[in-house]
Amino acid sequence: MPFEVIIPPGSPPPLAPYSPGTKAGGFIYVSGTLAIGPKGETVGAGDATAQTRFVLESIKSVIEAGGGTMKDVVFNQIFLKDLSDYAAMNAVYKEYFPETPPARYCIQSPLVRPEFLVEIATTAYVGT
C-alpha cells in the first residue's frame, strides 16, 4: 500500500530517520511527538503543561497537513517521563479532546532526552 509523507511547515528537524507523519489507507499516523521547536530547541523545559500543549499543537499541524482534524483522532499513545505529570497532561489533553475522546494508553517511560517530559504518538482516520 503506498503512503504519503506528511511534513507540515515549521516542523523541527527529526532526531532520527523518521517523518513527522504518514498517510495511508485512510489513516494518518503521527510519529512520537516531543516538545521540540522549529530550530531543534526544547520547548517548555520543566513544564509538563507547556510541553503537552506544544506536543498536541504539533500533532494537530501534522493531522491538518494530511487533511484531517483533531476530531479524526482515534488513538493516542502517551509516554510520560514521570507519572506525577499525569494530572497536568490530562488537563491540557481534555482541551483538545473535550467530547468523545479517542482510545489511548499512558505509560511512564524514559524519553529520548532528559528534558522531555511528554511524548505522544497519534493515529487519525480520515477515510479513503
Side-chain angles (χ1 to χ4, degrees):
M1 165 175 33
F3 71 92
E4 168 189 345
V5 171
I6 302 170
I7 303 174
S11 289
L15 296 177
Y18 64 87
S19 299
T22 58
K23 185 175 181 180
F27 287 91
I28 295 173
Y29 301 94
V30 182
S31 292
T33 304
L34 297 158
I36 304 173
K39 296 179 183 171
E41 76 280 10
T42 300
V43 175
D47 185 343
T49 297
Q51 286 197 11
T52 301
R53 187 171 316 285
F54 188 87
V55 165
L56 288 169
E57 283 296 321
S58 297
I59 288 168
K60 182 179 174 185
S61 73
V62 174
I63 292 171
E64 288 177 350
T69 71
M70 292 297 271
K71 289 183 179 184
D72 297 317
V73 172
V74 295
F75 190 67
N76 284 308
Q77 300 164 78
I78 304 167
F79 305 89
L80 297 177
K81 178 180 176 180
D82 190 324
L83 287 178
S84 67
D85 291 326
Y86 187 72
M89 179 277 299
N90 270 324
V92 176
Y93 187 90
K94 280 192 265 187
E95 295 173 21
Y96 288 81
F97 305 105
E99 299 174 10
T100 60
R104 75 176 209 189
Y105 65 74
C106 181
I107 61 171
Q108 181 175 355
S109 175
L111 301 179
V112 69
R113 290 187 190 157
E115 64 267 25
F116 296 128
L117 305 175
V118 179
E119 181 173 355
I120 303 175
T122 298
T123 305
Y125 180 71
V126 294
T128 54

